[in-house]
Amino acid sequence: MPQSLVKNYIHITFSTKNRYPFIDECIKDELFSYLGGICKNLECNPIIVGGYKNHVHILCLLSRKIALMKLIEEVKTYSSKWIKTKGQKYQKFYWQNGYGGFSINESQVDYVKAYILKQEGHHKKISFRDEYRNFLKEYDIEYDERYVWD
């Protein structure tokens, strides 16, 4: 087969360092657009980017040309540098070290898009920590709680 054909939908989520609520109304839309732009530049077509005060969700098609780890590294590095240029209150901005990356079936795309769009309402009922734990349980990922958070 001379051609490499790939279609991997990935739902990525990660938080700000110590879940500090940096993602406020002043920056959120621009940040989500910026994150989507980084994905697009890396040929990882963003489907939706959203989140809430202390974390983000990215649903994208992972390019066949880049490893998930490299995509996350680029997204975090460039967005962290960018957000620090947006004012004094963002000078101490950092992302957490880890991330969650979950493959989803094409039939789940609309569900995940709706889920990401409803983050504000969703987080009136559940914390990011509990949301993330639920993802780990749903995807049957073993983890040690001591090493999940920073």
Side-chain angles (χ1 to χ4, degrees):
M1 177 183 287
Q3 212 174 20
S4 298
L5 304 170
V6 175
K7 192 171 191 181
N8 290 315
Y9 290 97
I10 303 292
H11 177 190
I12 301 163
T13 188
F14 52 87
S15 75
T16 58
K17 183 119 176 136
N18 299 313
R19 272 107 7 247
Y20 188 84
F22 277 112
I23 306 170
D24 57 27
E25 290 298 317
C26 298
I27 197 74
K28 74 174 188 171
D29 291 336
E30 195 175 0
L31 173 62
F32 298 158
S33 291
Y34 194 82
L35 293 169
I38 296 168
C39 291
K40 190 173 184 176
N41 287 341
L42 295 169
E43 298 180 34
C44 294
N45 184 37
I47 296 163
I48 188 169
V49 179
Y52 195 55
K53 299 177 186 224
N54 61 5
H55 69 283
V56 297
H57 292 265
I58 300 169
L59 176 60
C60 68
L61 278 165
L62 184 63
S63 170
R64 66 181 172 81
K65 298 177 184 177
I66 190 169
L68 177 58
M69 180 180 73
K70 184 64 173 170
L71 170 63
I72 302 293
E73 177 185 329
E74 297 287 314
V75 164
K76 285 183 176 183
T77 299
Y78 287 108
S79 63
S80 184
K81 288 177 183 177
W82 171 83
I83 201 168
K84 289 175 182 174
T85 70
K86 294 299 176 179
Q88 186 65 32
K89 65 183 177 178
Y90 305 111
Q91 291 301 303
K92 294 183 180 181
F93 180 90
Y94 293 96
W95 293 115
Q96 74 172 96
N97 287 322
Y99 64 90
F102 310 100
S103 61
I104 66 162
N105 188 292
E106 189 168 18
S107 65
Q108 297 173 299
V109 168
D110 288 339
Y111 172 81
V112 174
K113 281 172 60 175
Y115 179 85
I116 293 171
L117 282 171
K118 296 176 185 174
Q119 283 293 292
E120 187 169 345
H122 177 72
H123 286 291
K124 289 180 180 176
K125 301 173 188 169
I126 187 172
S127 70
F128 173 71
R129 280 180 175 232
D130 288 339
E131 175 186 49
Y132 192 70
R133 286 182 189 111
N134 288 343
F135 283 131
L136 296 175
K137 184 177 179 181
E138 179 181 342
Y139 284 88
D140 196 27
I141 297 173
E142 291 184 28
Y143 66 98
D144 185 331
E145 187 82 23
R146 296 174 298 172
Y147 304 108
V148 173
W149 312 108
D150 67 345

